Amino acid sequence: METQIRNGKYLGRGIHNVKFAESLMNGNLKQMLKVINKDKDLDVQIRKDYLNIYYKGGNIAKVNSEKSIEFDKFYFYTNMKVIPKKDIKEDEIILQLLISKRDNLISKFKVGKYEEYFADAKEIMDEWLKKNPKPERMEQHQLSIENKYNISDYTIIDLEYQVSILCDFACLYKVEGKDKPKTPRFDIIAIDKKGKLCVIELKKGTESLKDTSGLKEHWDCYKQSIERNYEPFMSEMNKLLKQKQAFSLIDNRLEIKNPIPEFMFAYSYDKKTKDYEQDKVFQIEYNKIGEPIHVIKLAKGSLKLMD
């Protein structure tokens, strides 16, 4: 969750550190971004004063500055099913070996060997994913890569956007039996080909429609957060878009033209159940909303968001 406040003001998504931003536009980290932009397997998302760089859904680098980068040492350990992670944390010999390998990899990044760093890190993650597959993360990763300007009807500008309890549109929605309001996380923030900013909740298969993950609760959360006070959210997303464009992460022709965002659902069919049966379950849940909401049904074998 984005929680930092500077000078009493919530800042939200974006690189607010001037030195960090300058490096990404004109310094050493600009060279890093050039390496990333040439690699179709890598995806960059901006958080609050750091970048998450993803490979096959895994965080291949959390970049805080030119000299500050994080990589999970446990990606060097593939036998989680043999010896669980919690036990490895208590084994000093193995733990120190993992730390040493991690530090050696990170040292390449710190001296500007970006191509070598990402090549090595990808190889390490490939080995880890062979034994620890993460299909949902991989799908989200592909979703971001496949929905870009001029190749889809939507361009994704952010993923997993969580509404902070500190922002001006903090959620007021309370689940029955709970004292505190929800802190909703929306799967996708994208801009459509007409320039409208869209908040999209992605559902895959009928299991994702049950209980608290149902369609109506997501809509209720949206109404009691972003829709209730959308102007600061629009401002945050406009700044995020401009910054991604300044870092050459998104096509400069893209712009938000409509001042009001739209909430919608995207549905991805699973392979377990026949499509018409899934459509039936989806419609039952959709009818509970009682209001017309735009729905995108993803084509089989595709993750492109197409109207």
Side-chain angles (χ1 to χ4, degrees):
M1 186 188 302
E2 312 295 350
T3 57
Q4 183 169 329
I5 294 179
R6 187 174 298 171
N7 297 326
K9 185 178 180 181
Y10 167 73
L11 296 175
R13 295 284 211 237
I15 304 303
H16 309 289
N17 183 293
V18 176
K19 186 177 180 181
F20 189 12
E22 181 62 26
S23 181
L24 288 163
M25 287 188 288
N26 302 303
N28 290 337
L29 291 181
K30 181 177 181 179
Q31 302 307 311
M32 175 201 72
L33 292 177
K34 285 182 178 180
V35 171
I36 292 171
N37 284 333
K38 289 190 297 183
D39 192 328
K40 294 181 180 179
D41 293 327
L42 299 179
D43 182 52
V44 181
Q45 297 300 331
I46 299 176
R47 301 310 184 208
K48 197 214 69 66
D49 275 333
Y50 67 90
L51 305 180
N52 273 343
I53 302 168
Y54 295 103
Y55 171 67
K56 294 184 177 179
N59 195 345
I60 203 169
K62 178 185 176 184
V63 182
N64 304 296
S65 70
E66 288 186 6
K67 301 298 182 182
S68 176
I69 173 181
E70 299 174 36
F71 182 85
D72 191 343
K73 58 183 173 292
F74 289 102
Y75 279 128
F76 288 94
Y77 182 74
T78 60
N79 296 318
M80 297 290 188
K81 294 177 181 177
V82 179
I83 305 176
K85 184 175 178 178
K86 62 182 179 63
D87 294 333
I88 292 301
K89 288 181 178 180
E90 297 176 2
D91 189 318
E92 275 300 316
I93 295 176
I94 297 180
L95 195 61
Q96 287 305 313
L97 178 62
L98 298 180
I99 291 171
S100 176
K101 289 182 177 181
R102 188 269 317 276
D103 290 349
N104 181 57
L105 175 66
I106 285 177
S107 68
K108 296 177 182 180
F109 185 98
K110 290 181 176 179
V111 296
K113 296 181 179 179
Y114 302 121
E115 289 188 5
E116 188 175 341
Y117 170 84
F118 286 115
D120 290 352
K122 285 167 71 173
E123 188 175 324
I124 291 159
M125 290 189 72
D126 280 335
E127 288 301 310
W128 190 86
L129 287 167
K130 282 180 185 178
K131 293 190 176 181
N132 304 278
K134 300 292 181 182
E136 289 185 3
R137 289 187 192 176
M138 181 64 188
E139 185 165 285
Q140 187 183 58
H141 180 77
Q142 285 302 120
L143 188 79
S144 182
I145 290 174
E146 291 186 27
N147 289 280
K148 293 186 177 180
Y149 190 79
N150 267 354
I151 65 172
S152 170
D153 286 347
Y154 294 80
T155 301
I156 291 176
I157 65 170
D158 198 19
L159 293 169
E160 295 187 346
Y161 180 88
Q162 186 160 352
V163 177
S164 171
I165 60 173
L166 299 173
C167 70
D168 293 333
F169 49 92
C171 188
L172 301 180
Y173 177 75
K174 291 183 180 180
V175 180
E176 188 175 348
K178 301 286 185 180
D179 294 329
K180 294 182 179 179
K182 293 271 288 186
T183 52
R185 183 192 298 270
F186 297 108
D187 293 329
I188 303 163
I189 310 297
I191 302 171
D192 72 7
K193 56 188 176 183
K194 295 180 180 179
K196 177 175 280 189
L197 186 69
C198 304
V199 180
I200 306 173
E201 191 63 31
L202 176 66
K203 295 295 182 183
K204 183 175 178 63
T206 55
E207 287 297 315
S208 70
L209 303 174
K210 296 179 179 179
D211 303 323
T212 57
S213 61
L215 302 183
K216 188 176 187 306
E217 184 162 314
H218 287 300
W219 170 235
D220 288 340
C221 285
Y222 177 79
K223 287 195 298 182
Q224 291 298 317
S225 58
I226 294 172
E227 187 183 67
R228 178 177 57 83
N229 186 14
Y230 60 81
E231 289 182 354
F233 172 73
M234 294 294 293
S235 176
E236 182 179 351
M237 290 298 106
N238 262 302
K239 289 176 183 176
L240 180 66
L241 172 62
K242 297 300 183 187
Q243 198 159 64
K244 277 196 163 185
Q245 290 171 327
F247 301 156
S248 300
L249 295 173
I250 286 183
D251 194 294
N252 281 326
R253 290 170 291 179
L254 189 69
E255 61 178 309
I256 301 172
K257 299 176 181 178
N258 195 309
I260 302 174
E262 179 182 3
F263 178 81
M264 62 180 64
F265 292 107
Y267 185 78
S268 177
Y269 293 92
D270 64 31
K271 297 178 181 179
K272 303 174 186 177
T273 314
K274 292 180 180 179
D275 290 2
Y276 78 88
E277 292 179 354
Q278 295 184 59
D279 285 333
K280 186 187 299 183
V281 175
F282 185 93
Q283 193 63 41
I284 290 171
E285 293 301 316
Y286 178 83
N287 289 342
K288 293 178 182 178
I289 295 173
E291 299 179 53
I293 306 294
H294 188 178
V295 177
I296 299 172
K297 297 285 184 71
L298 298 178
K300 283 290 187 67
S302 173
L303 291 171
K304 285 186 179 179
L305 297 164
M306 306 296 288
D307 287 324

